[in-house]
Amino acid sequence: MIKIENLTKIYHASGQKIVALDDVSLTIEKGEIFGIIGLSGAGKSTLIRCINMLEKPTAGSILVDGQEITTLNKHELRLTRQKIGMIFQHFNLLSSRTVFGNIMFPLEIAKVPRKEAIKRTHELLELVGLTDKANVYPSQLSGGQKQRVGIARALANNPKLLLSDEATSALDPQTTRSILQLLRDINKKFDLTILLITHDMNVIKEVCDRVAVIDNSRIIEVDDVLNVFTSPGSPTARSFVNSVFSREVPAELLHRTTAGGDREQTWLVRVAFIGTSAGEPIISSLIRKYDVEANILYGNIDRIKDTPYGNLTLELMGLSNDLQEAIDYLQSRGLEVEVLNND
Amino acid sequence: MIDSWLMERLLVATWETIYMVATSTFFSYLFGLPLGVILVITERGHIMENKVVNRVLGWIINATRSIPFIIFLILIIPITRLLVGTYIGTVASIVPLTLAAIPFVARLVETSLKEIEWGLIEAALSMGANTWTIITKVLLTEAKPSLILGVAITTINLIGYSAMAGIVGGGGLGTLAYYYGYQRYENTIMWATVIVLILVVQGVQFLGEKLAQKASKNRG
Ligand SMILES: Nc1ncnc2c1ncn2[C@@H]1O[C@H](COP(=O)(O)OP(=O)(O)OP(=O)(O)O)[C@@H](O)[C@H]1O
Ligand SMILES: [Mg+2]
């Protein structure tokens, strides 16, 4: 759906050169929800704004649905933009128009006949659940409702692509969840490709299929969200993952347990389980099969999009080779196992 | 000694002032509003960035605004003559009033339009809006309350200017106050004019605020 190649963006501000995007290449498939995460100033907004040419790239190519957009003339660009929806952190609704008027605005721009536009607006109001707010002005809406209007407006011309620039960053966690749910619904319903940027790993966790990590103007990691959560490939990715699932082991636990030597040992082990194995009684069969004792220190189960994802920190006690066998067993059952005090 | 003669003079002069001010407000917006829009959209990073146009226009506006009105009046007598055939009288006054107000209006409009958040323009751009749509449906519509207040300010300024024009034979309340009040020491006429002027200015301000409030009703 989107193919970005060697995209570079350099700003010139007061005689200074700021490289906001440095040779970025990225492919986003049709129908997926793709997230781009990065810290403030990493270049996220610049990247997403290049895709509808709100920002003109310094170099590189961007194909949207097979069409090179960096070389379009003004008129072509306007037509292309009508087919790419965008939602914003601060909603950007016209205060002089009602909810209805705001949603109808892109239809007016696309010169959709009035009757048809009104009909479409009603459909969109229903889609985002704001039929009863049609004649209300944006100032009388909550943040979540405003973003719903933003989403309805972005979908008005049946786009194939939706760009979201921190669309939930100004919302509380509960409202964020409902907006993300709406994004998932429309992704499924219309097979709409969604590209979203965020600095919140929870957003990635709840809706994205794949994620790119951007750091210092460069893409440093692109992977399935599950993979990034289970085995982050960069320190930046790891710290984002840790911001959602606390993976740090308290220091006193690491000291209490011992490793090495021939006698009875205590290993501190972290087990991550994904998907179906979350439901199997693996730990109990582990204890039955091997001559080890297990002590559960900490555990949690969460979801990454639709996949259950659990984390368990165990203390395993036994002889060194028994412990090793036990760990091999866990790994053979498809679990990610990491020995934390074995260095 | 407010007799019927005075009353009539006062009414005629008030009407002349209203006519002059209303007409010149209208014409100053006819030219000043587009100029204000051009000032904004040709700015760096805006939807029709154009450094040359922006600089030149800004310079001309500043230059015209720095000439005191009373000097401006005399300076443009040839232009007034050319356009109206005379430089005395109510109709003739409309020319300098309008010309002096155009740059003022352009700056007022510019200020109003700049209050609009860039995000709104960006949203419209992302929907594929063209420049005309952004000007009419985003900039001017969103800035409406502020623009209306600008019209009130312009009108009030023009009332003041029209009195000055009156002194050099422009007609209206200015001429009345000058001839009878200043040259013939008729204090009653002087005070009557002042009272009428105060009432008109208050009325304009009140109306402007009411209309602006109405336009911004329900907005956030
Ligand atoms: N119009 C501009 N002129 C000059 N520099 C800019 C401009 N826009 C962005 N930058 C710079 O480019 C870099 C990337 O900015 P960008 O807005 O893309 O970051 P971001 O990842 O979206 O950050 P945030 O999470 O804070 O929104 C920053 O160093 C920023 O200062
Ligand atoms: Mg940003």
Side-chain angles (χ1 to χ4, degrees), chain A residues 8-238:
Chain A
T8 297
K9 172 72 189 182
I10 298 168
Y11 289 111
H12 297 274
S14 53
Q16 261 192 326
K17 250 176 72 172
I18 301 163
V19 181
L21 292 175
D22 186 3
D23 198 25
V24 167
S25 297
L26 203 59
T27 304
I28 290 145
E29 306 296 338
K30 191 164 170 37
E32 75 176 331
I33 305 186
F34 192 98
I36 296 175
I37 190 163
L39 296 169
S40 189
K44 305 180 295 289
S45 297
T46 308
L47 177 54
I48 202 166
R49 293 156 51 83
C50 278
I51 290 165
N52 60 1
M53 295 286 284
L54 284 178
E55 219 64 76
K56 200 168 161 31
T58 311
S61 131
I62 301 168
L63 292 174
V64 176
D65 212 17
Q67 186 186 36
E68 175 62 55
I69 59 150
T70 56
T71 53
L72 294 178
N73 67 32
K74 280 190 171 177
H75 178 70
E76 293 166 333
L77 179 60
R78 282 201 296 271
L79 292 179
T80 301
R81 279 174 172 168
Q82 289 171 12
K83 289 290 175 188
I84 302 176
M86 189 168 195
I87 52 176
F88 306 87
Q89 178 174 3
H90 298 296
F91 325 117
N92 296 343
L93 303 178
L94 295 171
S95 68
S96 53
R97 286 177 176 236
T98 60
V99 166
F100 197 92
N102 268 285
I103 298 175
M104 208 153 113
F105 189 34
L107 297 165
E108 290 169 24
I109 290 172
K111 302 206 165 61
V112 174
R114 199 176 154 74
K115 244 181 148 172
E116 211 175 298
I118 290 174
K119 190 169 153 267
R120 176 79 184 133
T121 306
H122 281 297
E123 283 169 22
L124 289 158
L125 278 168
E126 195 169 328
L127 177 75
V128 299
L130 286 177
T131 304
D132 57 328
K133 298 281 183 197
N135 298 316
V136 154
Y137 284 85
S139 63
Q140 294 155 289
L141 296 178
S142 71
Q145 290 168 332
K146 283 182 194 167
Q147 198 56 286
R148 281 169 188 274
V149 178
I151 291 171
R153 182 177 73 171
L155 295 180
N157 286 313
N158 295 302
K160 8 178 202 184
L161 173 64
L162 179 67
L163 305 174
S164 159
D165 186 349
E166 303 267 12
T168 55
S169 296
L171 305 174
D172 63 64
Q174 198 180 336
T175 313
T176 294
R177 229 167 289 134
S178 81
I179 292 295
L180 292 177
Q181 188 56 50
L182 178 60
L183 289 180
R184 289 185 56 166
D185 291 346
I186 58 178
N187 161 256
K188 276 215 196 84
K189 202 163 170 181
F190 308 116
D191 194 30
L192 178 73
T193 310
I194 301 179
L195 173 61
L196 63 84
I197 66 169
T198 182
H199 57 253
D200 181 358
M201 199 62 180
N202 277 303
V203 171
I204 302 286
K205 189 192 88 181
E206 293 204 15
V207 293
C208 291
D209 301 304
R210 288 200 302 146
V211 62
V213 181
I214 184 168
D215 192 19
N216 236 324
S217 322
R218 289 173 155 273
I219 301 279
I220 53 167
E221 190 169 343
V222 184
D223 211 338
D224 287 348
V225 172
L226 271 172
N227 290 345
V228 172
F229 270 98
T230 50
S231 44
S234 60
T236 312
R238 187 162 312 125

Side-chain angles (χ1 to χ4, degrees), chain B residues 147-216:
Chain B
L147 288 171
I148 291 173
L149 287 178
V151 174
I153 293 172
T154 306
T155 310
I156 289 166
N157 263 333
L158 280 172
I159 292 171
Y161 282 3
S162 79
M164 263 190 257
I167 292 174
V168 294
L173 290 164
T175 306
L176 187 68
Y178 183 68
Y179 278 137
Y180 297 96
Y182 179 69
Q183 292 190 333
R184 299 189 189 174
Y185 308 105
E186 294 209 32
N187 272 330
T188 329
I189 293 197
M190 196 74 152
W191 282 109
T193 341
V194 168
I195 289 166
V196 172
L197 283 173
I198 290 175
L199 289 177
V200 172
V201 168
Q202 296 287 350
V204 170
Q205 184 67 30
F206 177 80
L207 198 69
E209 277 169 19
K210 276 283 166 251
L211 288 173
Q213 253 173 39
K214 198 169 161 232
S216 66

Side-chain angles (χ1 to χ4, degrees), chain B residues 108-109 140 162 169:
Chain B
L108 272 183
V109 169
L140 295 179
S162 79

Side-chain angles (χ1 to χ4, degrees), chain B residues 33-110:
Chain B
L33 186 76
L35 288 178
V37 171
I38 292 171
L39 269 180
V40 171
I41 64 173
T42 55
E43 248 187 35
R44 190 159 180 267
H46 219 286
I47 54 175
M48 261 181 85
E49 178 173 338
N50 189 323
K51 204 171 174 178
V52 176
V53 171
N54 192 272
R55 285 274 170 84
V56 170
L57 192 58
W59 190 88
I60 295 172
I61 285 171
N62 286 346
T64 16
R65 286 195 64 196
S66 55
I67 307 170
F69 182 67
I70 197 84
I71 296 172
F72 189 81
L73 259 179
I74 300 161
L75 208 63
I76 66 149
I77 283 177
I79 300 177
T80 312
R81 264 194 166 138
L82 197 77
L83 287 173
V84 198
T86 172
Y87 65 95
I88 290 172
T90 322
V91 177
S93 303
I94 291 169
V95 178
L97 287 175
T98 302
L99 288 179
I102 287 172
F104 178 75
V105 168
R107 285 291 183 213
L108 272 183
V109 169
E110 183 193 18

